[in-house]
Amino acid sequence: MHDVLTPEGLRRRAVLSSLIGNSIEFYEFLIYGSFSSLYFGKLFFPSFSPTAGTLLSLSTFGVAFVGRPLGAFVFGHFGDRLGRRTTLITTLTVMGGATVLIGLLPTYATIGVAAPVLLTVLRFVQGFSLGGESSGGFLMALESARPGRRGLLTAVVGTGNAWGLLLANGVLLLVTRLPERQVLSWGWRLPFLFSAVLVVFALRVRLRLAETPEFQRVRAEGTVRSVPALELLSRHGLVTLCASLSALPMFLVFYLGSVFSLKYASTVHVGRAQMLTLLAGSCVFLILAMPFFGRLGDRRGRKAVFVGGIVVMTVAPFAWFPLLGTGSFPLMALGFLVLFAGFAANYGVQGAFYPQLFPTALRYSGMSVSYNVGGLLGGAVSPLVATSLLGRYHSWIPIACYMAAAGVIGLAASLFLRERADTPPPRPAADTATTTAATTTDTAGTAGTAGTAAGSQPEPADVPRAVLQ
Protein backbone atom coordinates (compact mmCIF):
# COMPACT_ATOMS: atom_id res chain seq x y z
CA MET A 1 0.00 0.00 0.00
CA HIS A 2 1.63 3.25 -1.16
CA ASP A 3 1.54 6.47 0.79
CA VAL A 4 -1.00 9.09 -0.28
CA LEU A 5 0.97 12.29 -0.50
CA THR A 6 0.13 15.80 -1.61
CA PRO A 7 2.82 17.77 -3.46
CA GLU A 8 3.59 19.52 -0.16
CA GLY A 9 4.09 16.14 1.50
CA LEU A 10 6.50 15.14 -1.25
CA ARG A 11 8.47 18.35 -0.73
CA ARG A 12 8.79 17.76 3.00
CA ARG A 13 9.92 14.18 2.48
CA ALA A 14 12.48 15.24 -0.15
CA VAL A 15 13.96 17.85 2.19
CA LEU A 16 13.99 15.50 5.20
CA SER A 17 15.63 12.70 3.24
CA SER A 18 18.29 14.99 1.81
CA LEU A 19 19.01 16.57 5.20
CA ILE A 20 19.45 13.18 6.89
CA GLY A 21 21.63 11.84 4.10
CA ASN A 22 23.78 14.96 4.00
CA SER A 23 24.23 14.89 7.77
CA ILE A 24 25.35 11.26 7.76
CA GLU A 25 27.72 11.74 4.86
CA PHE A 26 29.42 14.68 6.57
CA TYR A 27 29.52 12.83 9.89
CA GLU A 28 31.37 9.97 8.22
CA PHE A 29 33.66 12.32 6.32
CA LEU A 30 34.51 14.46 9.34
CA ILE A 31 35.00 11.59 11.76
CA TYR A 32 37.77 10.44 9.47
CA GLY A 33 39.25 13.95 9.33
CA SER A 34 39.30 14.27 13.11
CA PHE A 35 40.87 10.87 13.72
CA SER A 36 43.41 11.32 10.95
CA SER A 37 44.51 14.53 12.65
CA LEU A 38 44.68 13.04 16.15
CA TYR A 39 45.28 9.27 16.07
CA PHE A 40 45.84 7.70 12.67
CA GLY A 41 49.49 8.73 12.58
CA LYS A 42 50.16 6.41 15.53
CA LEU A 43 47.83 3.64 14.33
CA PHE A 44 48.77 3.44 10.64
CA PHE A 45 52.12 5.29 10.30
CA PRO A 46 53.99 4.46 13.54
CA SER A 47 57.39 4.02 11.88
CA PHE A 48 57.58 7.78 11.14
CA SER A 49 58.17 10.68 13.50
CA PRO A 50 55.04 12.11 15.13
CA THR A 51 55.01 15.11 12.78
CA ALA A 52 55.62 13.02 9.66
CA GLY A 53 53.03 10.49 10.78
CA THR A 54 50.44 13.22 11.23
CA LEU A 55 51.24 14.67 7.80
CA LEU A 56 50.93 11.25 6.18
CA SER A 57 47.68 10.65 7.99
CA LEU A 58 46.32 14.00 6.81
CA SER A 59 47.40 13.12 3.27
CA THR A 60 45.00 10.15 3.38
CA PHE A 61 42.32 12.68 4.37
CA GLY A 62 43.08 14.48 1.10
CA VAL A 63 42.77 11.27 -0.95
CA ALA A 64 39.00 11.46 -0.60
CA PHE A 65 39.01 14.78 -2.41
CA VAL A 66 40.67 13.08 -5.38
CA GLY A 67 37.84 10.55 -5.38
CA ARG A 68 35.16 13.22 -5.16
CA PRO A 69 35.49 14.64 -8.73
CA LEU A 70 35.62 11.11 -10.16
CA GLY A 71 32.52 10.20 -8.19
CA ALA A 72 30.92 13.43 -9.39
CA PHE A 73 31.41 12.41 -13.04
CA VAL A 74 30.12 8.87 -12.46
CA PHE A 75 27.18 9.64 -10.19
CA GLY A 76 26.42 12.86 -12.06
CA HIS A 77 26.08 10.77 -15.22
CA PHE A 78 23.67 8.34 -13.58
CA GLY A 79 21.83 11.12 -11.77
CA ASP A 80 21.10 12.85 -15.07
CA ARG A 81 20.43 9.58 -16.91
CA LEU A 82 18.55 7.41 -14.40
CA GLY A 83 17.28 9.89 -11.85
CA ARG A 84 18.14 11.54 -8.57
CA ARG A 85 16.48 8.99 -6.24
CA THR A 86 18.27 5.84 -7.45
CA THR A 87 21.64 7.58 -7.47
CA LEU A 88 21.24 8.91 -3.94
CA ILE A 89 20.37 5.48 -2.57
CA THR A 90 23.56 4.12 -4.14
CA THR A 91 25.85 6.88 -2.83
CA LEU A 92 24.56 6.53 0.72
CA THR A 93 25.07 2.76 0.69
CA VAL A 94 28.61 2.96 -0.70
CA MET A 95 29.69 5.69 1.73
CA GLY A 96 28.25 3.85 4.73
CA GLY A 97 29.88 0.57 3.74
CA ALA A 98 33.32 2.16 3.36
CA THR A 99 33.03 3.87 6.75
CA VAL A 100 32.08 0.67 8.57
CA LEU A 101 34.98 -1.18 6.93
CA ILE A 102 37.39 1.48 8.22
CA GLY A 103 36.12 0.68 11.70
CA LEU A 104 36.94 -3.00 11.14
CA LEU A 105 40.36 -2.38 9.59
CA PRO A 106 43.48 -3.97 11.18
CA THR A 107 46.17 -1.44 12.07
CA TYR A 108 49.85 -1.32 11.13
CA ALA A 109 50.76 -3.33 14.23
CA THR A 110 48.67 -6.25 12.91
CA ILE A 111 49.19 -6.37 9.13
CA GLY A 112 52.01 -3.92 8.51
CA VAL A 113 52.07 -1.73 5.40
CA ALA A 114 48.84 -3.27 4.10
CA ALA A 115 46.96 -1.34 6.79
CA PRO A 116 47.66 2.20 5.47
CA VAL A 117 47.14 0.95 1.90
CA LEU A 118 43.68 -0.40 2.74
CA LEU A 119 42.91 2.74 4.73
CA THR A 120 43.76 4.87 1.70
CA VAL A 121 41.56 2.75 -0.59
CA LEU A 122 38.57 3.00 1.74
CA ARG A 123 39.13 6.73 2.13
CA PHE A 124 39.07 7.04 -1.65
CA VAL A 125 35.75 5.16 -1.75
CA GLN A 126 34.35 7.56 0.86
CA GLY A 127 35.23 10.53 -1.32
CA PHE A 128 34.00 8.79 -4.48
CA SER A 129 30.52 8.33 -3.02
CA LEU A 130 30.40 11.79 -1.46
CA GLY A 131 31.08 13.20 -4.93
CA GLY A 132 27.54 12.27 -5.89
CA GLU A 133 25.74 12.45 -2.55
CA SER A 134 25.91 16.06 -1.47
CA SER A 135 24.99 17.53 -4.86
CA GLY A 136 22.15 15.05 -5.37
CA GLY A 137 20.66 15.91 -2.00
CA PHE A 138 20.51 19.58 -2.90
CA LEU A 139 18.90 18.75 -6.25
CA MET A 140 16.29 16.54 -4.62
CA ALA A 141 15.18 19.47 -2.45
CA LEU A 142 15.54 22.16 -5.12
CA GLU A 143 13.61 20.33 -7.83
CA SER A 144 10.76 19.58 -5.46
CA ALA A 145 10.50 23.10 -4.00
CA ARG A 146 8.25 25.96 -4.99
CA PRO A 147 9.87 28.95 -6.70
CA GLY A 148 10.69 31.57 -4.11
CA ARG A 149 11.55 28.94 -1.48
CA ARG A 150 14.33 27.03 -3.18
CA GLY A 151 17.09 28.85 -1.37
CA LEU A 152 15.44 28.29 2.00
CA LEU A 153 14.86 24.56 1.51
CA THR A 154 18.28 23.83 0.04
CA ALA A 155 19.81 25.82 2.92
CA VAL A 156 17.99 23.50 5.34
CA VAL A 157 19.60 20.57 3.51
CA GLY A 158 22.92 22.43 3.69
CA THR A 159 22.74 22.46 7.49
CA GLY A 160 23.52 18.74 7.18
CA ASN A 161 27.23 19.59 7.25
CA ALA A 162 26.74 21.36 10.59
CA TRP A 163 24.59 18.51 11.96
CA GLY A 164 27.24 16.06 10.75
CA LEU A 165 30.02 18.09 12.36
CA LEU A 166 28.02 18.41 15.58
CA LEU A 167 27.40 14.67 15.70
CA ALA A 168 31.03 13.88 14.81
CA ASN A 169 32.40 16.18 17.49
CA GLY A 170 29.95 14.83 20.07
CA VAL A 171 31.05 11.27 19.37
CA LEU A 172 34.70 12.34 19.32
CA LEU A 173 34.26 14.11 22.67
CA LEU A 174 32.85 10.91 24.20
CA VAL A 175 35.58 8.71 22.74
CA THR A 176 38.41 11.00 23.82
CA ARG A 177 37.22 10.81 27.43
CA LEU A 178 38.62 7.28 27.40
CA PRO A 179 42.27 6.80 28.36
CA GLU A 180 44.43 7.24 25.28
CA ARG A 181 45.59 3.61 25.46
CA GLN A 182 41.99 2.42 25.12
CA VAL A 183 41.27 4.89 22.32
CA LEU A 184 44.26 3.59 20.35
CA SER A 185 43.33 -0.01 21.13
CA TRP A 186 39.63 -0.12 20.29
CA GLY A 187 37.89 3.18 21.05
CA TRP A 188 38.75 4.76 17.70
CA ARG A 189 36.65 2.11 15.93
CA LEU A 190 33.36 3.00 17.63
CA PRO A 191 32.48 6.16 15.64
CA PHE A 192 33.02 4.33 12.34
CA LEU A 193 30.94 1.30 13.35
CA PHE A 194 28.18 3.58 14.64
CA SER A 195 27.77 4.74 11.06
CA ALA A 196 25.98 1.47 10.21
CA VAL A 197 23.06 2.44 12.48
CA LEU A 198 22.79 5.87 10.85
CA VAL A 199 22.87 4.50 7.31
CA VAL A 200 20.12 1.94 7.95
CA PHE A 201 17.91 4.71 9.34
CA ALA A 202 18.61 7.00 6.38
CA LEU A 203 17.92 4.27 3.82
CA ARG A 204 14.50 3.65 5.37
CA VAL A 205 13.61 7.26 4.64
CA ARG A 206 15.26 7.48 1.24
CA LEU A 207 13.68 4.32 -0.17
CA ARG A 208 10.25 5.93 0.25
CA LEU A 209 11.11 8.91 -1.96
CA ALA A 210 9.61 9.68 -5.34
CA GLU A 211 11.66 10.97 -8.26
CA THR A 212 11.76 14.77 -8.53
CA PRO A 213 9.07 16.41 -10.69
CA GLU A 214 11.62 18.26 -12.82
CA PHE A 215 13.53 15.10 -13.71
CA GLN A 216 10.21 13.41 -14.53
CA ARG A 217 9.52 16.24 -16.93
CA VAL A 218 12.94 15.95 -18.61
CA ARG A 219 12.40 12.21 -19.02
CA ALA A 220 8.86 12.67 -20.35
CA GLU A 221 10.07 15.19 -22.91
CA GLY A 222 12.80 12.79 -24.05
CA THR A 223 15.56 15.34 -23.39
CA VAL A 224 17.68 13.12 -21.13
CA ARG A 225 21.26 13.35 -22.42
CA SER A 226 23.16 10.21 -23.37
CA VAL A 227 26.53 11.44 -22.03
CA PRO A 228 25.74 14.48 -19.86
CA ALA A 229 29.29 14.97 -18.56
CA LEU A 230 30.72 15.39 -22.06
CA GLU A 231 28.05 17.90 -23.01
CA LEU A 232 28.67 19.72 -19.74
CA LEU A 233 32.37 20.16 -20.50
CA SER A 234 31.91 20.98 -24.17
CA ARG A 235 29.09 23.51 -23.81
CA HIS A 236 29.41 24.74 -20.23
CA GLY A 237 33.10 24.28 -19.51
CA LEU A 238 33.82 27.89 -18.53
CA VAL A 239 30.85 28.02 -16.16
CA THR A 240 31.97 24.75 -14.60
CA LEU A 241 35.52 26.05 -14.10
CA CYS A 242 34.37 29.35 -12.57
CA ALA A 243 31.93 27.55 -10.27
CA SER A 244 34.75 25.26 -9.11
CA LEU A 245 37.06 28.17 -8.34
CA SER A 246 34.30 30.07 -6.57
CA ALA A 247 34.03 27.18 -4.08
CA LEU A 248 37.68 27.46 -2.93
CA PRO A 249 37.15 29.74 0.10
CA MET A 250 34.10 27.77 1.22
CA PHE A 251 36.08 24.53 1.43
CA LEU A 252 39.15 26.11 3.03
CA VAL A 253 37.17 27.79 5.79
CA PHE A 254 35.11 24.71 6.58
CA TYR A 255 37.94 22.17 6.72
CA LEU A 256 40.49 24.42 8.40
CA GLY A 257 37.87 25.55 10.89
CA SER A 258 36.66 22.03 11.67
CA VAL A 259 39.72 19.78 11.17
CA PHE A 260 42.91 21.87 11.35
CA SER A 261 41.62 23.81 14.38
CA LEU A 262 41.92 20.63 16.48
CA LYS A 263 45.61 20.47 15.64
CA TYR A 264 46.16 24.22 16.01
CA ALA A 265 44.57 24.22 19.48
CA SER A 266 47.66 22.68 21.06
CA THR A 267 49.90 25.49 19.76
CA VAL A 268 47.81 28.14 21.54
CA HIS A 269 47.40 25.99 24.68
CA VAL A 270 43.68 25.37 24.20
CA GLY A 271 42.41 22.03 25.46
CA ARG A 272 40.82 19.59 23.02
CA ALA A 273 37.56 19.48 24.95
CA GLN A 274 37.36 23.28 24.89
CA MET A 275 37.97 23.36 21.14
CA LEU A 276 35.31 20.71 20.55
CA THR A 277 32.88 22.77 22.60
CA LEU A 278 33.64 25.83 20.46
CA LEU A 279 33.03 23.78 17.33
CA ALA A 280 29.73 22.49 18.74
CA GLY A 281 28.64 26.09 19.36
CA SER A 282 29.68 26.97 15.80
CA CYS A 283 27.48 24.16 14.50
CA VAL A 284 24.46 25.55 16.34
CA PHE A 285 25.17 28.95 14.79
CA LEU A 286 25.40 27.43 11.29
CA ILE A 287 22.16 25.49 11.73
CA LEU A 288 20.36 28.76 12.52
CA ALA A 289 22.22 31.04 10.12
CA MET A 290 22.14 28.99 6.90
CA PRO A 291 18.33 28.98 6.48
CA PHE A 292 18.33 32.72 7.22
CA PHE A 293 20.79 33.37 4.40
CA GLY A 294 18.99 30.90 2.13
CA ARG A 295 15.76 32.84 2.60
CA LEU A 296 17.62 36.13 2.13
CA GLY A 297 18.94 34.80 -1.17
CA ASP A 298 15.40 33.97 -2.30
CA ARG A 299 14.35 37.55 -1.60
CA ARG A 300 17.43 39.61 -2.46
CA GLY A 301 19.30 37.47 -4.96
CA ARG A 302 21.46 34.44 -4.31
CA LYS A 303 24.52 35.73 -6.11
CA ALA A 304 24.70 38.85 -3.93
CA VAL A 305 24.60 36.74 -0.76
CA PHE A 306 27.07 34.23 -2.24
CA VAL A 307 29.61 36.94 -3.12
CA GLY A 308 29.12 38.70 0.22
CA GLY A 309 29.97 35.46 1.99
CA ILE A 310 33.24 35.16 0.04
CA VAL A 311 34.23 38.72 0.98
CA VAL A 312 33.73 37.95 4.67
CA MET A 313 35.65 34.65 4.43
CA THR A 314 38.57 36.46 2.77
CA VAL A 315 39.20 38.77 5.72
CA ALA A 316 37.91 36.59 8.60
CA PRO A 317 41.14 34.57 9.18
CA PHE A 318 42.95 37.74 10.26
CA ALA A 319 40.49 38.02 13.14
CA TRP A 320 40.00 34.29 13.84
CA PHE A 321 43.62 33.41 14.58
CA PRO A 322 44.34 36.36 16.95
CA LEU A 323 41.10 35.71 18.83
CA LEU A 324 42.05 32.04 19.25
CA GLY A 325 45.41 33.18 20.57
CA THR A 326 43.82 35.06 23.46
CA GLY A 327 42.83 31.82 25.21
CA SER A 328 39.63 33.53 26.38
CA PHE A 329 36.61 31.35 25.72
CA PRO A 330 34.23 34.25 24.83
CA LEU A 331 36.79 35.78 22.47
CA MET A 332 37.57 32.44 20.86
CA ALA A 333 33.83 31.91 20.37
CA LEU A 334 33.67 35.32 18.71
CA GLY A 335 36.52 34.25 16.43
CA PHE A 336 34.61 31.19 15.25
CA LEU A 337 31.50 33.33 14.77
CA VAL A 338 33.48 35.70 12.52
CA LEU A 339 35.03 32.81 10.59
CA PHE A 340 31.80 30.91 9.98
CA ALA A 341 29.54 33.92 9.32
CA GLY A 342 30.79 34.26 5.75
CA PHE A 343 30.68 30.50 5.31
CA ALA A 344 27.04 30.41 6.47
CA ALA A 345 26.07 33.03 3.89
CA ASN A 346 28.01 31.38 1.09
CA TYR A 347 27.01 27.80 1.82
CA GLY A 348 23.46 28.80 2.69
CA VAL A 349 22.73 29.80 -0.92
CA GLN A 350 25.09 27.57 -2.91
CA GLY A 351 22.67 24.62 -2.87
CA ALA A 352 20.25 26.63 -5.01
CA PHE A 353 22.83 28.83 -6.77
CA TYR A 354 25.09 26.16 -8.28
CA PRO A 355 22.39 23.89 -9.81
CA GLN A 356 20.74 26.82 -11.55
CA LEU A 357 23.92 27.69 -13.39
CA PHE A 358 23.14 24.69 -15.62
CA PRO A 359 20.20 23.36 -17.69
CA THR A 360 17.94 20.92 -15.85
CA ALA A 361 19.09 17.94 -17.95
CA LEU A 362 22.72 18.59 -16.91
CA ARG A 363 22.19 19.77 -13.36
CA TYR A 364 23.39 16.71 -11.49
CA SER A 365 26.61 16.54 -13.52
CA GLY A 366 27.08 20.31 -13.48
CA MET A 367 26.75 20.80 -9.76
CA SER A 368 28.56 17.59 -8.81
CA VAL A 369 31.58 18.24 -11.01
CA SER A 370 32.01 21.94 -10.23
CA TYR A 371 31.37 21.52 -6.49
CA ASN A 372 33.73 18.57 -6.09
CA VAL A 373 36.52 19.94 -8.28
CA GLY A 374 36.34 22.94 -5.97
CA GLY A 375 36.58 20.52 -3.06
CA LEU A 376 39.67 18.94 -4.57
CA LEU A 377 41.37 22.31 -5.07
CA GLY A 378 40.23 23.87 -1.81
CA GLY A 379 39.76 21.07 0.70
CA ALA A 380 42.06 18.21 -0.27
CA VAL A 381 45.34 19.68 0.88
CA SER A 382 44.22 22.60 3.04
CA PRO A 383 44.80 20.88 6.45
CA LEU A 384 48.10 19.53 5.11
CA VAL A 385 49.20 22.93 3.78
CA ALA A 386 48.17 24.68 6.99
CA THR A 387 50.03 22.13 9.13
CA SER A 388 53.14 22.51 6.98
CA LEU A 389 53.02 26.31 7.11
CA LEU A 390 52.58 26.25 10.86
CA GLY A 391 55.50 23.84 11.28
CA ARG A 392 57.79 25.95 9.09
CA TYR A 393 56.93 29.48 10.18
CA HIS A 394 55.47 28.89 13.67
CA SER A 395 52.96 31.63 12.90
CA TRP A 396 49.33 31.87 11.85
CA ILE A 397 49.97 34.73 9.39
CA PRO A 398 51.03 32.56 6.39
CA ILE A 399 47.94 30.39 6.92
CA ALA A 400 45.67 33.43 7.00
CA CYS A 401 47.30 34.72 3.79
CA TYR A 402 46.73 31.32 2.18
CA MET A 403 43.03 31.50 3.09
CA ALA A 404 42.75 35.09 1.87
CA ALA A 405 44.35 34.22 -1.48
CA ALA A 406 41.73 31.51 -1.98
CA GLY A 407 39.08 34.11 -1.19
CA VAL A 408 40.37 36.49 -3.85
CA ILE A 409 40.36 33.71 -6.46
CA GLY A 410 36.85 32.65 -5.46
CA LEU A 411 35.59 36.21 -5.61
CA ALA A 412 37.02 36.80 -9.10
CA ALA A 413 35.54 33.54 -10.41
CA SER A 414 32.10 34.18 -8.94
CA LEU A 415 31.73 37.43 -10.86
CA PHE A 416 31.46 35.41 -14.11
CA LEU A 417 28.56 33.25 -12.89
CA ARG A 418 24.98 33.90 -13.98
CA GLU A 419 22.08 32.06 -12.39
CA ARG A 420 19.19 30.77 -14.50
CA ALA A 421 15.62 31.65 -13.65
CA ASP A 422 13.53 29.71 -11.13
CA THR A 423 10.88 27.52 -12.69
CA PRO A 424 7.96 25.96 -10.84
CA PRO A 425 8.19 22.17 -10.85
CA PRO A 426 5.35 20.34 -12.60
CA ARG A 427 2.73 18.68 -10.43
CA PRO A 428 3.61 15.07 -9.55
CA ALA A 429 1.69 12.67 -11.77
CA ALA A 430 -1.20 10.78 -10.17
CA ASP A 431 0.31 7.41 -11.04
CA THR A 432 3.77 8.12 -9.57
CA ALA A 433 5.12 5.14 -7.65
CA THR A 434 4.82 6.72 -4.25
CA THR A 435 1.80 8.93 -4.64
CA THR A 436 -1.77 8.08 -5.50
CA ALA A 437 -3.25 11.49 -4.96
CA ALA A 438 -2.16 15.05 -5.62
CA THR A 439 -3.83 18.34 -5.19
CA THR A 440 -5.35 19.80 -8.35
CA THR A 441 -3.48 23.02 -7.98
CA ASP A 442 -0.41 24.11 -6.14
CA THR A 443 -1.15 27.53 -4.75
CA ALA A 444 2.41 28.73 -5.03
CA GLY A 445 3.35 26.99 -8.24
CA THR A 446 0.39 27.37 -10.59
CA ALA A 447 1.26 30.89 -11.65
CA GLY A 448 4.24 29.57 -13.62
CA THR A 449 2.68 26.40 -15.01
CA ALA A 450 -0.85 27.68 -15.71
CA GLY A 451 -2.18 24.20 -15.03
CA THR A 452 -0.38 22.59 -17.96
CA ALA A 453 0.90 19.03 -17.82
CA ALA A 454 4.57 18.33 -17.26
CA GLY A 455 6.59 18.72 -20.39
CA SER A 456 3.93 20.59 -22.39
CA GLN A 457 5.89 23.82 -22.50
CA PRO A 458 9.50 24.85 -23.18
CA GLU A 459 11.77 24.83 -20.20
CA PRO A 460 12.48 28.37 -19.04
CA ALA A 461 15.19 27.10 -16.68
CA ASP A 462 17.56 27.06 -19.67
CA VAL A 463 17.14 30.82 -20.16
CA PRO A 464 19.64 33.00 -18.27
CA ARG A 465 18.09 35.27 -15.64
CA ALA A 466 19.58 38.31 -17.36
CA VAL A 467 17.61 37.52 -20.53
CA LEU A 468 14.36 37.15 -18.60
CA GLN A 469 14.86 40.46 -16.94
Side-chain angles (χ1 to χ4, degrees):
M1 194 72 184
H2 294 301
D3 294 335
V4 178
L5 290 176
T6 63
E8 192 60 37
L10 289 173
R11 293 186 183 104
R12 286 195 297 268
R13 179 172 289 180
V15 172
L16 176 62
S17 164
S18 299
L19 173 60
I20 294 172
N22 204 26
S23 301
I24 293 173
E25 295 278 359
F26 271 95
Y27 163 79
E28 295 170 338
F29 207 72
L30 291 165
I31 275 291
Y32 187 99
S34 299
F35 277 81
S36 67
S37 176
L38 300 174
Y39 298 114
F40 281 179
K42 297 176 182 178
L43 291 167
F44 293 95
F45 303 96
S47 59
F48 295 88
S49 68
T51 300
T54 299
L55 290 173
L56 286 170
S57 179
L58 286 172
S59 69
T60 66
F61 176 77
V63 165
F65 289 91
V66 178
R68 285 177 68 160
L70 296 176
F73 276 102
V74 172
F75 290 118
H77 171 85
F78 289 113
D80 284 328
R81 289 278 295 158
L82 304 179
R84 288 43 165 147
R85 175 184 177 274
T86 301
T87 305
L88 285 172
I89 291 171
T90 304
T91 57
L92 182 64
T93 304
V94 173
M95 180 78 169
T99 304
V100 171
L101 287 174
I102 289 175
L104 298 172
L105 194 63
T107 63
Y108 187 93
T110 305
I111 61 173
V113 72
V117 171
L118 291 173
L119 179 69
T120 303
V121 170
L122 290 173
R123 181 59 177 165
F124 179 86
V125 173
Q126 275 191 319
F128 185 79
S129 63
L130 188 60
E133 166 64 30
S134 53
S135 302
F138 287 120
L139 284 186
M140 181 64 73
L142 179 135
E143 294 184 349
S144 301
R146 295 186 183 123
R149 289 176 61 84
R150 289 181 164 183
L152 173 63
L153 295 185
T154 54
V156 171
V157 173
T159 63
N161 67 0
W163 286 111
L165 178 58
L166 188 63
L167 181 59
N169 284 335
V171 171
L172 181 62
L173 188 60
L174 291 175
V175 170
T176 54
R177 294 179 71 88
L178 296 169
E180 184 163 342
R181 177 180 295 180
Q182 293 183 21
V183 175
L184 293 173
S185 174
W186 54 268
W188 70 271
R189 300 182 184 275
L190 298 180
F192 296 94
L193 298 177
F194 176 60
S195 177
V197 178
L198 300 176
V199 170
V200 169
F201 171 70
L203 283 175
R204 284 175 60 91
V205 178
R206 191 160 282 184
L207 286 168
R208 300 172 64 200
L209 281 178
E211 187 51 79
T212 69
E214 289 198 29
F215 181 77
Q216 291 180 31
R217 179 180 62 198
V218 169
R219 186 161 52 192
E221 292 175 344
T223 56
V224 173
R225 307 302 203 263
S226 57
V227 189
L230 291 182
E231 183 172 344
L232 172 74
L233 297 180
S234 63
R235 297 185 59 188
H236 305 278
L238 181 59
V239 173
T240 304
L241 175 61
C242 289
S244 298
L245 294 176
S246 74
L248 288 179
M250 177 173 66
F251 279 100
L252 255 74
V253 165
F254 184 73
Y255 285 105
L256 292 184
S258 62
V259 175
F260 172 73
S261 62
L262 295 174
K263 187 69 178 177
Y264 184 73
S266 62
T267 68
V268 290
H269 309 292
V270 176
R272 188 173 300 163
Q274 192 174 30
M275 185 61 73
L276 289 172
T277 303
L278 288 166
L279 286 173
S282 301
C283 291
V284 174
F285 166 73
L286 290 175
I287 290 168
L288 297 174
M290 284 184 194
F292 167 79
F293 285 113
R295 187 60 176 154
L296 183 65
D298 284 333
R299 293 178 173 176
R300 302 297 183 186
R302 297 178 194 114
K303 182 174 178 178
V305 178
F306 184 87
V307 171
I310 294 179
V311 172
V312 174
M313 286 189 288
T314 302
V315 299
F318 296 97
W320 179 52
F321 282 108
L323 288 170
L324 286 183
T326 66
S328 164
F329 189 86
L331 291 178
M332 289 190 295
L334 177 61
F336 273 100
L337 181 65
V338 170
L339 182 72
F340 283 124
F343 174 82
N346 192 249
Y347 199 81
V349 297
Q350 60 84 31
F353 181 65
Y354 282 140
Q356 295 190 177
L357 300 174
F358 306 97
T360 303
L362 301 177
R363 269 181 186 165
Y364 208 128
S365 296
M367 182 176 186
S368 294
V369 172
S370 57
Y371 181 84
N372 288 290
V373 169
L376 173 63
L377 299 175
V381 296
S382 56
L384 185 63
V385 170
T387 301
S388 299
L389 290 173
L390 183 64
R392 180 172 182 178
Y393 296 103
H394 305 287
S395 170
W396 58 266
I397 295 177
I399 306 171
C401 292
Y402 166 54
M403 298 171 74
V408 172
I409 294 171
L411 181 62
S414 66
L415 299 179
F416 291 92
L417 300 176
R418 295 292 182 270
E419 189 180 9
R420 296 168 186 267
D422 277 349
T423 57
R427 297 192 308 271
D431 58 351
T432 300
T434 58
T435 177
T436 56
T439 53
T440 11
T441 57
D442 187 331
T443 54
T446 43
T449 58
T452 57
S456 61
Q457 58 184 2
E459 180 184 332
D462 289 350
V463 182
R465 184 184 296 276
V467 174
L468 295 180
Q469 290 176 339

